[in-house]
Amino acid sequence: LLPGKNINCEWGYDINKENCIAAAESVGGGLRGGRYLVGSWPDSPANCFIEPTDNAIHYNTNMGGRNNGYFRSVCAAPEDKVIIKDAYKGSECSSGHSYSIAECAGKAQEQGGVLANGAMKVGGWSHIPYGCSLQESDNVIHFGTNIYGTNAGQFKPVCVAGTDKGIVMPAREKTTCEPGYDFPQTACIEVALSLGGKLRDNKIVVGNWPNAPNACFWEKADKAIHFNNNQFGINDGQFNPICKVGVIKAALLPAYQGTECDPADAIAVEDCVASAAAIGGTLRDGNIKIGEYPNAPSGCFVEAS
């Protein structure tokens, strides 16, 4: 469901007249008085949509119809497509298109990968690419934790195809996306909703604010999704930027007494959120926890519990 003024389904993701009822019912729509409402309305989104007052299913035959902000378009959900790259020397997933260790086994099995003795192989090999891959000879699923690992040519990387993956950055003063890693307004709703964001009054809030980060973000208080057209906006600490996953690779060391990163491999505080998220870390209450802890390693870490 896509709400908001002038928001229609993207090209190729609209629902045709024959499939509209089934699609709309799957997201909570229903027939008003047993009737499927079909018409030509200039102020409603083209194709399949729902009226929020009673979730009545409509179909608009006016292909020039534009949502006045009162209706919710019913669109086909884009698939999380998996791509298996060829096994050649140096082959790896491109920046932002790697699966996390938690996602690897499931995604790889969908593509014919197999578990060895019921488990995915995990290790810090130098001849296997960082992230999820299949051994070419037998399709056994591997996850390489060595950030310097280079494909020797016997492993097929398992990667996310298409849309960039998003990450929620902490609500701190001056926090923003790195140049080139912000989302455009057209992608902001979809990405932010997938990460837990919410629509205020069923629409994205768009404006030009000097005290908020540039581009896509949500407000810390209620996770309402916003888009800031002010490219010079500076986060005052009340907003969580929504950014593309960057190029940082990270390895998760086991939780036992004395474990810590080598000083040369330590993650800086500004890179901690993105790095930890890449290996399954999450933000507690929407924020990174920063402090002096005598019983924890220095630098970036995740709590094992």
Side-chain angles (χ1 to χ4, degrees), residues 16 42 54-55 67 79 82 90 135 151 156 178 216 219 221-222:
N16 62 27
D54 58 357
N55 284 339
N67 195 344
E79 298 178 5
V82 184
Q135 188 163 341
N151 196 339
K156 300 178 291 185
E178 291 290 326
C216 188
E219 190 167 341
D222 60 359

Side-chain angles (χ1 to χ4, degrees), residues 102-151:
E103 299 170 313
C104 179
K107 296 298 181 182
Q109 284 180 298
E110 291 176 6
Q111 303 302 311
V114 297
L115 300 173
N117 298 320
M120 173 175 68
K121 291 189 174 183
V122 180
W125 305 284
S126 61
H127 66 293
I128 295 179
Y130 175 86
C132 191
S133 64
L134 303 177
Q135 188 163 341
E136 187 176 35
S137 59
D138 55 11
N139 275 349
V140 169
I141 304 168
H142 291 66
F143 191 91
T145 60
N146 184 351
I147 60 176
Y148 303 111
T150 301
N151 196 339

Side-chain angles (χ1 to χ4, degrees), residues 177-195:
C177 300
E178 291 290 326
Y181 289 96
D182 48 0
F183 283 99
Q185 186 176 338
T186 53
C188 182
I189 291 178
E190 180 183 341
V191 174
L193 283 175
S194 73
L195 295 169

Side-chain angles (χ1 to χ4, degrees), residues 164-186:
D164 290 294
K165 298 178 75 175
I167 182 174
V168 183
M169 300 299 286
R172 297 175 58 208
E173 289 188 11
K174 299 184 180 181
T175 299
T176 189
C177 300
E178 291 290 326
Y181 289 96
D182 48 0
F183 283 99
Q185 186 176 338
T186 53

Side-chain angles (χ1 to χ4, degrees), residues 256-297:
Y256 60 78
Q257 190 170 357
T259 302
E260 63 179 358
C261 297
D262 185 279
D265 295 324
I267 302 291
V269 62
E270 59 268 24
D271 297 328
C272 182
V273 174
S275 300
I279 45 83
T282 59
L283 293 173
R284 183 180 293 160
D285 300 325
N287 260 313
I288 181 175
K289 302 298 178 183
I290 299 178
E292 295 185 4
Y293 312 103
N295 60 338

Side-chain angles (χ1 to χ4, degrees), residues 10-29:
E10 290 189 21
W11 186 87
Y13 290 100
D14 49 342
I15 303 292
N16 62 27
K17 185 177 177 181
E18 292 72 26
N19 294 325
C20 179
I21 293 178
E25 286 181 335
S26 73
V27 291

